[in-house]
């Protein structure tokens, strides 16, 4: 048998998967060589609830379960249910080589606030205008979930967004919101534009936002509310109310609120909705030296544990490293622990733009109070103040943080599909013009498999990694041309689901190769031999301007020159630039 | 010698709130304690947690994982000083830098008037992070007194 028979719905609850899931896996699987009959497939397919199985099939499943061969107990077996669950089931339909002409790489940002957020101030038109000018191709308006937003703002912002779509031909503007995830942090939720985009977001917010419903604090019951919220989004797609919906966890390690098991639960519950997390938070200007920034952490990562924080997180998890969240920046850390399970979970980089460093606009006097906001669901339009604000900690969308998505065409649907497929890399300060990563049979002229893919490859096949990087040739928005100093190749074994749902360690993952790119410009091409495919593994890339390096959290052997911990109150984000790609898995069979 | 100690499980969400309420109560009762610490304990709902306070007349009455906010010498930890001074003036046994941050005995530390060591393997350990200003690099406690609140004015 092959691993794609096993789906990731190992959670004990039952739900009607034909209606609750956005994805169309249902009972139609993609078997290359499938000697299994229909009943055997159903027995092994954990997305088929027990209640749907005939008695004999249920007995067979029960036997397998008791023998530890189904669900989490299968880790030691020769199949990889994590991958079977997710990579294979989700991606086999799109499991194809990259198109010869490549993808349209569209830069975007899924985390942007406006005057409909109680801690922000700009018009939608301001944010879209700047994002367009700074070169973004897509963006998501994500005002905070709140009582006022659920009642007023979520509707009131929509005409502004539709007007911005009309006014800007070169940028896709999604409507979303920043979800107060029950029992956890914040997250971006957004939908494909359509006649029901507001209705779906409004019902979602009223039903599942932690602030609106008082479910923010950590508890088992609240964790379940988050999963129900994801079910709702999936059902909204299945029912056709919206044609797509997605969720990303925002600033996941900032306060220790997103436990490792919650990340796993979200992904397993709705793998077509829960797509990943911010690898780098916004607020990247928060620790630029100024009197008002003394004591600030970069990204406003200057928090410490509360009762709702997961006690298992170390103190350094509350800090950023090279501007990136500890979950992502730590080689062999939390993100790698998910990838080593074969669990697709993508990283992004966004502005979280509320109020921009050195911008001189302010909320209009009289329409700047919380009473005004509560009554109107928004503040008044910003006005000029003549005084550059040094206490603000954000950049405009596109100014510093970019999430690049490999899209098959330029459309809302294609951006969402690219995000879902994991064809995503991120950078700060326009460190690179482009990066293209492929894995292919050694010596072939095949275009290879792109980011986010799991290669269905024969055991013993020789493979190579092809990296094509175009360095920056134009100045960034700080008026200098960034210089790429190095690229690191990170590689880890895929070992199947961890028995510890709260694991944040991938001890086998490390930096295995570094390309010194000092002084090199233009389009650089590197071919790296990955050897014969024997055991499953994954690779991902990371690169830097080389200005702020330090051994990684797990030591020099794991990461000899990784991002240094960021400095409180004095961290120039332009002098510490990084890019990260999402992974490619190799799964020999 | 008689000693007394007490623990209060007050449903607090943050250690700082717990400290604040505890200090109010202590001031009201006019009682002095030798050590006081916060702890994370299970909450009422399954899977929930809350902050508890433990206080004692005995200076060694701290349990593993305790985050101490009253301990010998804490009142002298104000403003900037050298790491060696901080160790000499208080019951803190060690200063440890986060993620490889170097901590020399002569390194400057700004206490921010808020120093909260944690008892680990029987030793009071203060974790510190790198900071810098126009005067150069220094250290600050990893736990700062005024974290940026979420969804408030930045």
């Amino acid at each position: 048998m092959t691993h794609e028979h096993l789906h990731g719905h190992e959670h004990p609850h039952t739900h009607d998967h034909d209606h609750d899931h956005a994805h169309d896996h249902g009972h139609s699987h993609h078997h290359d060589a499938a000697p299994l009959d229909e009943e055997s497939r159903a027995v092994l397919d954990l997305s088929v609830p027990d209640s749907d199985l005939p008695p004999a099939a249920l007995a067979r499943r029960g036997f397998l379960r008791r023998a530890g061969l189904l669900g989490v107990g299968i880790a030691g077996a020769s199949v990889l249910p994590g991958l079977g669950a997710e990579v294979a089931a989700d991606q086999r339909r799109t499991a194809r080589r990259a198109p010869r002409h490549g993808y349209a790489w569209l830069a975007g940002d899924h985390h942007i606030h406006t005057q409909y957020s109680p801690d922000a101030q700009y018009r939608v038109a301001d944010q879209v205008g700047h994002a367009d000018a700074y070169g973004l191709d897509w963006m998501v308006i994500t005002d905070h979930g709140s009582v006022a937003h659920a009642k007023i703002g979520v509707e009131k912002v929509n005409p502004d967004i539709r007007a911005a779509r009309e006014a800007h031909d070169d940028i896709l503007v999604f409507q979303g919101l920043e979800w107060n995830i029950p029992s956890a942090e914040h997250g971006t939720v957004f939908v494909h534009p359509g006649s029901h985009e507001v209705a779906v977001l409004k019902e979602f917010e009223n039903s599942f936002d932690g602030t609106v419903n008082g479910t923010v604090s950590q508890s088992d019951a609240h964790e379940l509310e988050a999963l129900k919220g994801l079910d709702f989004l999936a059902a909204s797609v299945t029912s056709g109310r919206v044609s797509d919906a997605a969720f990303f966890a925002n600033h996941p390690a900032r306060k220790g609120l997103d436990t490792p098991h919650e990340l796993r639960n979200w992904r397993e519950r709705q793998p077509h909705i829960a797509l990943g997390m911010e690898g780098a938070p916004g607020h990247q200007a928060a620790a630029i030296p100024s009197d008002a920034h003394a004591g600030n952490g970069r990204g406003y990562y200057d928090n410490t544990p509360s009762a709702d924080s997961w006690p298992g997180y170390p103190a350094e998890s509350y800090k950023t490293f090279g501007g990136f969240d500890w979950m992502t920046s730590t080689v062999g850390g939390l993100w790698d622990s998910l990838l080593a399970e074969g669990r697709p979970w993508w990283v992004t980089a966004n502005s979280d733009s509320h109020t921009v460093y050195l911008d001189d606009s302010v909320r209009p006097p009289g329409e700047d109070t919380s009473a005004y906001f509560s009554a109107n669901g928004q503040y008044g339009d910003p006005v000029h103040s003549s005084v550059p604000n040094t206490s603000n900690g954000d950049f405009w969308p596109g100014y510093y943080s970019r999430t690049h998505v490999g899209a098959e065409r330029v459309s809302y649907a294609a951006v969402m599909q690219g995000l879902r497929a994991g064809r995503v890399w991120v950078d700060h300060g326009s460190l690179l013009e482009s990066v293209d990563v492929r894995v292919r049979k050694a010596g072939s002229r095949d275009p290879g498999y792109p980011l986010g893919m799991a290669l269905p490859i024969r055991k013993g096949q020789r493979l190579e990694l092809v990296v094509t990087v175009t360095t920056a040739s134009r100045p960034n928005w700080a008026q200098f041309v960034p210089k790429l100093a190095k690229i690191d190749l990170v590689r880890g074994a895929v070992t199947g689901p961890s028995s510890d749902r709260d694991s944040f360690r991938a001890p086998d993952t490390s930096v295995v190769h570094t390309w010194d790119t000092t002084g090199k410009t233009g389009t650089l091409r590197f071919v790296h031999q990955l050897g014969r495919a024997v055991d499953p593994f994954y690779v991902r890339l990371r690169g830097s301007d080389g200005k702020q390096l330090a051994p990684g959290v797990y030591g020099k052997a794991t990461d000899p020159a990784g991002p240094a911990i960021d400095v409180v109150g004095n961290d120039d984000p332009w002098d510490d630039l990084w890019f990260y790609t999402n992974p490619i898995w190799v799964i020999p069979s | 010698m008689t000693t007394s100690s007490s623990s209060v499980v007050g449903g607090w969400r943050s250690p700082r709130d717990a400290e604040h309420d505890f200090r109010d109560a202590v001031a009201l009762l006019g009682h002095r304690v030798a050590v006081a610490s916060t702890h994370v304990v299970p909450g009422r709902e399954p899977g929930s947690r809350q902050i508890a306070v433990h206080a004692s007349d005995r200076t060694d009455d701290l349990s593993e994982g305790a985050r101490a906010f009253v301990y010998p010498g804490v009142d002298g930890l104000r403003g900037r000083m050298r790491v060696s001074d901080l160790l000499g003036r208080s019951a803190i046994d060690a200063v440890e830098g986060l993620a490889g941050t170097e901590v020399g005995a002569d390194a400057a530390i700004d206490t921010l008037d808020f120093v909260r060591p944690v008892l680990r393997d029987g030793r009071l350990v203060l974790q510190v992070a790198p900071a810098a200003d126009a005067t150069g690099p220094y250290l600050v406690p990893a736990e700062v007194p005024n974290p940026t609140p979420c969804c408030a004015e930045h």
Side-chain angles (χ1 to χ4, degrees):
Chain A
M1 62 178 273
T2 51
H3 53 259
E4 67 268 25
H5 297 296
L6 295 169
H7 285 252
H9 303 273
E10 298 151 7
H11 41 278
H13 71 277
T14 59
H15 49 225
D16 184 344
H17 65 279
D18 279 334
H19 301 289
D20 281 353
H21 289 236
H23 46 302
D24 60 6
H25 64 256
H27 299 275
S28 67
H29 300 280
H30 299 256
H31 301 286
D32 292 335
L36 291 180
D37 58 41
E38 190 68 30
E39 184 183 287
S40 299
R41 288 183 211 174
V43 166
L44 294 170
D45 184 346
L46 293 176
S47 73
V48 178
D50 286 3
S51 54
D52 282 7
L53 291 177
L58 184 58
R60 288 175 66 197
R61 177 182 281 182
F63 172 81
L64 291 170
R65 211 174 243 147
R66 286 190 298 279
L69 293 172
L70 264 191
V72 292
I74 206 154
S78 61
V79 292
L80 292 161
L83 282 164
E86 305 213 19
V87 176
D90 294 355
Q91 300 190 341
R92 275 191 85 79
R93 275 172 284 107
T94 55
R96 55 175 183 261
R97 293 164 176 79
R100 288 211 174 265
H101 61 275
Y103 297 97
W105 286 95
L106 305 180
D109 181 326
H110 70 62
H111 191 174
I112 298 161
H113 294 266
T114 73
Q115 64 196 136
Y116 298 95
S117 289
D119 54 352
Q121 73 179 44
Y122 303 118
R123 302 169 193 86
V124 170
D126 298 325
Q127 292 288 34
V128 177
H130 280 95
D132 193 4
Y134 291 127
L136 292 190
D137 304 301
W138 61 274
M139 62 188 289
V140 188
I141 299 294
T142 52
D143 288 304
H144 288 289
S146 73
V147 172
H149 186 264
K151 198 167 122 193
I152 308 168
V154 68
E155 287 183 352
K156 224 169 165 183
V157 72
N158 185 258
D160 297 0
I161 289 173
R162 282 190 282 119
R165 288 170 185 158
E166 288 296 316
H168 296 267
D169 289 336
D170 295 335
I171 187 164
L172 304 166
V173 187
F174 292 91
Q175 182 170 351
L177 61 88
E178 190 167 23
W179 183 24
N180 296 291
I181 309 168
S183 197
E185 256 290 353
H186 300 173
T188 285
V189 163
F190 69 107
V191 298
H192 188 287
S195 53
H196 300 297
E197 63 186 325
V198 176
V200 166
L201 290 170
K202 182 169 185 171
E203 187 178 344
F204 173 81
E205 185 177 351
N206 277 290
S207 304
F208 302 107
D209 186 84
T211 298
V212 174
N213 293 287
T215 54
V216 165
S217 64
Q218 172 72 38
S219 80
D220 293 349
H222 294 168
E223 285 191 12
L224 191 58
E225 285 303 302
L227 298 179
K228 288 180 184 167
L230 297 175
D231 289 348
F232 172 88
L233 293 172
S236 299
V237 177
T238 319
S239 66
R241 284 178 86 194
V242 288
S243 57
D244 207 350
F247 156 66
F248 284 91
N250 291 343
H251 38 74
R254 180 179 64 164
K255 294 180 174 181
L257 302 180
D258 288 351
T259 61
H261 72 263
E262 281 170 299
L263 300 179
R264 290 178 166 93
N265 289 348
W266 298 334
R267 176 69 196 188
E268 280 179 18
R269 178 73 159 226
Q270 293 298 346
H272 276 230
I273 301 294
L275 304 184
M277 63 185 177
E278 283 186 329
H283 306 309
Q284 290 282 329
I288 292 176
S290 86
D291 287 348
H293 286 175
N296 279 3
R298 189 166 168 183
Y300 290 125
Y301 272 45
D302 45 36
N303 282 267
T304 42
S306 72
D308 293 321
S309 307
W310 188 57
Y313 283 134
E316 65 264 24
S317 72
Y318 292 78
K319 308 296 180 188
T320 52
F321 294 73
F324 278 66
D325 184 284
W326 166 87
M327 290 186 186
T328 295
S329 65
T330 305
V331 174
L334 205 161
W335 185 35
D336 283 317
S337 81
L338 302 176
L339 303 181
E341 289 184 283
R343 206 181 282 283
W345 189 249
W346 319 124
V347 298
T348 63
N350 307 289
S351 66
D352 199 355
S353 185
H354 288 67
T355 54
V356 170
Y357 178 62
L358 298 184
D359 180 44
D360 55 10
S361 69
V362 293
R363 292 179 198 135
E367 298 178 356
D368 59 349
T369 63
S370 58
Y372 183 90
F373 185 89
S374 298
N376 296 280
Q378 66 172 105
Y379 296 114
D381 292 344
V383 295
H384 184 62
S385 80
S386 301
V387 183
N389 188 317
T390 55
S391 68
N392 292 345
D394 313 339
F395 291 122
W396 293 109
Y399 195 86
Y400 184 75
S401 305
R402 301 186 298 178
T403 297
H404 305 264
V405 179
E408 296 190 15
R409 65 194 75 80
V410 181
S411 72
Y412 289 95
V415 167
M416 297 189 83
Q417 284 158 9
L419 285 168
R420 180 167 295 115
R423 280 194 305 275
V424 176
W425 65 278
V426 302
D427 73 342
H428 277 166
S430 303
L431 177 58
L432 294 179
E433 208 152 286
S434 72
V435 57
D436 189 72
V437 189
R438 308 288 175 88
V439 174
R440 68 183 185 191
K441 291 176 185 174
S444 81
R445 300 175 69 182
D446 192 284
Y449 291 85
L451 293 179
M453 272 299 307
L455 269 70
I457 207 85
R458 240 190 18 263
K459 207 167 207 164
Q461 181 68 55
R462 277 191 187 280
L463 298 173
E464 64 190 19
L465 175 77
V466 184
V467 179
T468 311
V469 167
T470 303
T471 61
S473 59
R474 288 171 300 180
N476 59 20
W477 299 113
Q479 284 67 246
F480 69 92
V481 182
K483 293 186 171 66
L484 183 71
K486 67 153 183 171
I487 301 172
D488 296 319
L489 172 62
V490 177
R491 176 171 172 159
V494 176
T495 49
S498 170
S499 56
D500 176 6
R501 303 279 294 175
D502 276 321
S503 168
F504 57 86
R505 270 297 270 136
D508 185 71
T509 300
S510 63
V511 174
V512 296
H513 189 80
T514 294
W515 289 278
D516 182 349
T517 55
T518 310
K520 293 181 175 148
T521 56
T523 296
L524 316 174
R525 194 158 171 279
F526 305 100
V527 179
H528 180 80
Q529 296 305 315
L530 295 169
R532 286 192 189 280
V534 180
D535 296 316
F537 67 94
Y538 69 94
V539 288
R540 62 180 179 85
L541 296 183
R542 178 190 74 178
S544 164
D545 63 0
K547 293 186 175 175
Q548 308 284 340
L549 303 177
V553 169
Y554 293 117
K556 284 183 181 170
T558 299
D559 188 3
I565 189 168
D566 290 320
V567 177
V568 174
N570 190 338
D571 207 281
D572 179 351
W574 298 98
D575 239 3
D576 185 16
L577 303 177
W578 291 81
F579 82 87
Y580 287 70
T581 76
N582 279 288
I584 301 175
W585 287 272
V586 173
I587 310 297
S589 59
Chain B
M1 182 176 114
T2 60
T3 61
S4 68
S5 72
S6 62
S7 291
V8 185
V9 180
W12 293 289
R13 308 312 304 161
S14 92
R16 280 175 290 271
D17 291 346
E19 282 183 33
H20 182 264
D21 289 355
F22 177 82
R23 286 181 195 284
D24 272 359
V26 168
L28 202 65
L29 297 172
H31 188 72
R32 286 193 65 84
V33 299
V35 292
S37 55
T38 59
H39 302 257
V40 182
V41 301
R44 273 200 300 271
E45 305 300 323
S48 72
R49 292 181 286 271
Q50 59 182 320
I51 304 297
V53 173
H54 182 76
S56 176
D57 288 350
R58 272 180 26 228
T59 56
D60 62 348
D61 193 1
L62 288 170
S63 56
E64 183 69 13
R67 171 187 163 281
F69 64 95
V70 177
Y71 50 91
V74 65
D75 292 338
L77 303 182
R78 301 197 157 269
R80 286 199 189 191
M81 60 186 68
R82 295 187 310 165
V83 167
S84 56
D85 296 333
L86 179 139
L87 292 170
R89 289 178 198 176
S90 73
I92 295 172
D93 296 304
V95 176
E96 179 185 281
L98 288 185
T101 301
E102 286 189 23
V103 181
D106 288 335
I109 181 166
D110 189 337
T111 64
L112 308 174
D113 303 344
F114 186 86
V115 182
R116 301 291 180 264
V118 171
L119 196 76
R120 196 204 304 150
D121 299 328
R123 305 172 79 214
L124 262 186
V125 178
L126 178 69
Q127 289 187 303
V128 295
D133 61 13
T135 68
Y138 59 97
L139 302 167
V140 290
E143 178 175 358
V144 299
N146 52 347
T148 303
C150 145
C151 316
E153 297 301 321
H154 290 314

